[in-house]
Amino acid sequence: KLGKHRALGLYVPHVNTICVDVHDSGSFVHEYGHMLDFQSTESSMGDDFAEVIGGYRQALVVDGSASRSAKYYQVPTEIWARAFELWSRERLGIDNRTVQPKEAYESRFDYRPFQENPGLKAKAFRVFDRLVEQR
């Protein structure tokens, strides 16, 4: 584990560092999404992503077994990172140890708002498509 953090990974902006638990690297792409969010002009706080945030929050139903509060899953940076994971899997074809298993994206409640609303997912994907075009 990552010290006192109860997570499998984290991004530390002030030292521009991604940390991933050595036993489970499946959060790497998620944390990389946080890094891009922090460093990019296209970000979770941008106007283009605001509609995605609203749609995600409206559709999110937090699983009763979730260890964190519903507020955590509604934070714009977390919505961005989850959308970035899906985009990386589907657009870039990443299917390895740096992402969650395919089943997680199909079944977990925190990805369901994107999976059940193709329009919402498409809006998020357009933001990431533009981000790649800028680089």
Side-chain angles (χ1 to χ4, degrees):
K1 292 287 179 184
L2 302 173
K4 296 179 184 178
H5 298 279
R6 293 178 54 199
L8 295 174
L10 59 114
Y11 171 63
V12 185
H14 68 278
V15 290
N16 194 32
T17 302
I18 294 172
C19 303
V20 179
D21 187 311
V22 296
H23 301 103
D24 184 348
S25 58
S27 66
F28 179 81
V29 170
H30 179 94
E31 300 308 328
Y32 188 76
H34 282 306
M35 185 185 82
L36 289 177
D37 184 17
F38 187 81
Q39 295 180 353
S40 176
T41 55
E42 288 272 349
S43 73
S44 61
M45 303 312 281
D47 293 339
D48 290 344
F49 205 70
E51 194 173 342
V52 175
I53 292 168
Y56 182 92
R57 286 176 173 169
Q58 189 173 17
L60 180 67
V61 176
V62 177
D63 187 316
S65 65
S67 61
R68 295 185 173 133
S69 70
K71 288 182 182 180
Y72 168 80
Y73 292 99
Q74 295 182 33
V75 173
T77 56
E78 288 303 321
I79 297 168
W80 170 281
R82 281 176 178 73
F84 181 76
E85 285 181 78
L86 287 172
W87 178 84
S88 296
R89 242 188 119 70
E90 294 182 22
R91 285 279 208 274
L92 302 180
I94 297 175
D95 183 18
N96 57 35
R97 292 177 38 194
T98 64
V99 293
Q100 298 295 317
K102 182 181 179 185
E103 297 76 30
Y105 298 105
E106 295 171 348
S107 64
R108 281 186 23 191
F109 73 89
D110 48 337
Y111 298 100
R112 207 169 291 143
F114 294 118
Q115 300 295 33
E116 292 180 353
N117 185 339
L120 181 64
K121 184 164 67 170
K123 287 176 187 174
F125 281 22
R126 278 194 293 274
V127 172
F128 300 121
D129 290 341
R130 280 195 307 274
L131 183 64
V132 168
E133 291 169 8
Q134 292 174 2
R135 295 195 177 250

